[in-house]
């Protein structure tokens, strides 16, 4: 695990988690960073060289004139793959990063070998299960002036460590599953971001671009149907940010995708249930005909059902 900085229309920071061969590209979500993947990155090295860039305006990467929309993120990720290998990558995205990954795979099928979407935003016929706090926050994000005031207030509450823990606890169903070391990594990122003047603008631009891509439903469906790579869709049944109904509808739009709901998990399964995510990935890679990595040895044995904790 080592930090890297490259030039890609400006500085681009990230973490190289090791491994060799095919690029395994990890794409974080809104307000995320490369450390979002620290809990499962080692297991992913069985599939290639694991790289987690920090998108412009997130983590340590400055905007440097680059926008934070999912469309621009997809374009930058395509250039990143071409720069690193030029060959098809295994692309794994969470939340906003999953939307960027969908656009990337649809626009550049030659660059995406396999696609894994973890709790991807998608149009939903129901908001059942969503946190009332998050629903209210989503609405306030859309009101000019008030949205920045809200973010400023949220970032003034407590220390960086306290805000990090509060954020994780809000989107994870069982926060006790997330290790103290993982929390410490995220707390350091929070501390660094406090000094970055672009934080609020980037957060809101990224959020608005995700919402813009979800409506109307027909627009998002067209984007999804452009994806030709074999795709694994993972979603926590207790996700309070993106309702399970959104994942179920997405799975119905693409019945050829492999859909695996994880019972009892929230919005960040790669942090809350990393071993189970790796187990599902190993099954998917084998079932989709990819036999390059020793999938059976890539992760420790796991239960044959997609379940963690109590239903």
């Amino acid at each position: 695990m080592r930090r890297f900085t490259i030039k890609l229309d400006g500085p681009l920071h990230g973490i190289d988690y090791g491994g060799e061969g095919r690029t395994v590209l990890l794409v974080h979500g809104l307000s995320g960073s490369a450390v979002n993947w620290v809990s499962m990155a080692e297991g992913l090295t069985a599939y290639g060289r694991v790289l987690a860039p920090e998108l412009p305006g997130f983590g340590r990467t400055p905007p440097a004139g680059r926008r934070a929309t999912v469309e621009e993120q997809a374009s930058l990720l395509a250039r990143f793959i071409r720069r690193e290998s030029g060959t098809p990558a295994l692309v794994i995205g969470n939340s906003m990063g999953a939307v960027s990954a969908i656009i990337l795979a649809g626009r550049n099928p030659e660059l995406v070998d396999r696609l894994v979407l973890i709790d991807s935003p998608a149009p939903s016929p129901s908001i059942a299960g969503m946190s009332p706090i998050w629903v209210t926050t989503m609405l306030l994000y859309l009101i000019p002036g008030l949205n920045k005031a809200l973010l400023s207030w949220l970032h003034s509450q407590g220390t960086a460590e306290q805000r990090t823990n509060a954020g994780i606890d809000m989107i994870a169903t069982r926060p006790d599953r997330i290790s103290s070391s993982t929390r410490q990594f995220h707390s350091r990122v929070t501390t660094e971001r406090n000094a970055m003047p672009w934080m609020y603008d980037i957060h809101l631009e990224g959020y608005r671009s995700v919402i813009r891509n979800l409506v109307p439903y027909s627009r998002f469906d067209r984007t999804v149907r452009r994806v030709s790579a074999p795709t694994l869709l993972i979603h926590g049944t207790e996700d309070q940010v993106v309702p399970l109904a959104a994942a179920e509808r997405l799975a119905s739009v693409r019945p050829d995708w492999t859909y695996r709901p994880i019972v009892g998990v929230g919005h960040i399964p790669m942090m809350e249930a990393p071993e189970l995510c790796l187990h599902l990935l190993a099954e998917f890679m084998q079932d989709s005909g990819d036999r390059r990595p020793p999938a059976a040895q890539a992760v420790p044995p796991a239960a044959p059902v997609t379940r963690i904790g109590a239903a």
Side-chain angles (χ1 to χ4, degrees):
M1 173 179 169
R2 66 175 181 83
R3 282 275 181 184
F4 67 79
T5 303
I6 63 172
K7 292 290 185 180
L8 203 62
D9 300 331
L12 186 76
H13 298 274
I15 295 178
D16 183 338
Y17 282 105
E20 298 179 351
R22 163 183 52 195
T23 296
V24 180
L25 177 62
L26 308 181
V27 191
H28 64 73
L30 188 68
S31 288
S33 71
V35 301
N36 290 169
W37 305 96
V38 69
S39 298
M40 66 180 289
E42 182 178 359
L44 292 172
T45 59
Y47 302 97
R49 184 185 176 202
V50 181
L51 299 173
E54 295 179 326
L55 298 167
F58 298 98
R60 294 180 175 178
T61 300
R66 297 164 294 189
R67 299 190 62 193
T69 66
V70 289
E71 295 88 353
E72 289 298 317
Q73 290 170 4
S75 296
L76 182 138
L77 292 169
R79 295 195 295 277
F80 183 83
I81 294 173
R82 291 191 181 100
R83 182 189 187 281
E84 293 303 316
S85 66
T87 58
L90 166 59
V91 180
I92 305 175
N94 168 241
S95 194
M96 177 190 73
V99 178
S100 300
I102 291 171
I103 296 171
L104 165 67
R107 287 179 177 175
N108 305 99
E110 76 284 1
L111 296 179
V112 181
D113 178 55
R114 298 289 190 279
L115 181 63
V116 180
L117 308 173
I118 301 178
D119 288 66
S120 175
S124 175
S126 169
I127 63 171
M130 292 183 68
S131 163
I133 296 176
W134 178 238
V135 173
T136 302
T137 300
M138 288 174 61
L139 294 174
L140 293 176
Y141 277 173
L142 298 174
I143 303 176
L146 188 57
N147 47 23
K148 286 189 181 182
L150 173 64
L151 286 174
S152 177
W153 178 81
L154 289 172
H155 285 91
S156 69
Q157 302 303 298
T159 65
E161 182 178 3
Q162 290 170 332
R163 292 197 303 277
T164 297
N165 287 330
I168 289 174
D169 293 349
M170 185 177 76
I171 61 177
T173 303
R174 284 278 305 278
D176 57 292
R177 296 183 184 131
I178 300 173
S179 70
S180 59
S181 61
T182 297
R183 289 175 181 269
Q184 288 170 6
F185 277 122
H186 285 78
S187 180
R188 290 175 197 164
V189 173
T190 300
T191 300
E192 292 177 358
R193 283 187 62 74
N194 283 348
M196 298 177 181
W198 56 77
M199 181 169 56
Y200 302 155
D201 289 333
I202 289 296
H203 182 97
L204 293 170
E205 183 177 37
Y207 172 77
R208 286 192 297 265
S209 78
V210 171
I211 298 300
R212 189 171 60 249
N213 274 270
L214 301 189
V215 291
Y217 282 19
S218 57
R219 177 184 179 182
F220 186 79
D221 292 351
R222 286 194 299 272
T223 301
V224 166
R225 290 192 177 104
R226 294 190 186 103
V227 176
S228 58
T231 299
L232 170 63
L233 176 62
I234 294 173
H235 206 94
T237 62
E238 303 304 314
D239 189 340
Q240 297 187 65
V241 177
V242 180
L244 184 63
E248 292 174 340
R249 184 186 178 280
L250 180 53
S252 71
V253 173
R254 291 300 304 258
D256 56 314
W257 287 2
T258 301
Y259 173 42
R260 293 291 183 265
I262 304 181
V263 176
V265 169
H267 189 60
I268 44 175
M270 70 285 191
M271 293 168 58
E272 200 173 346
E275 290 189 359
L276 185 49
C277 287
L278 287 168
H279 176 72
L280 295 176
L281 176 61
E283 288 186 336
F284 165 71
M285 296 296 281
Q286 188 171 25
D287 292 346
S288 62
D290 189 309
R291 308 191 188 283
R292 280 175 283 185
Q297 302 171 21
V299 296
V305 294
T306 314
R307 179 179 295 272
I308 183 167

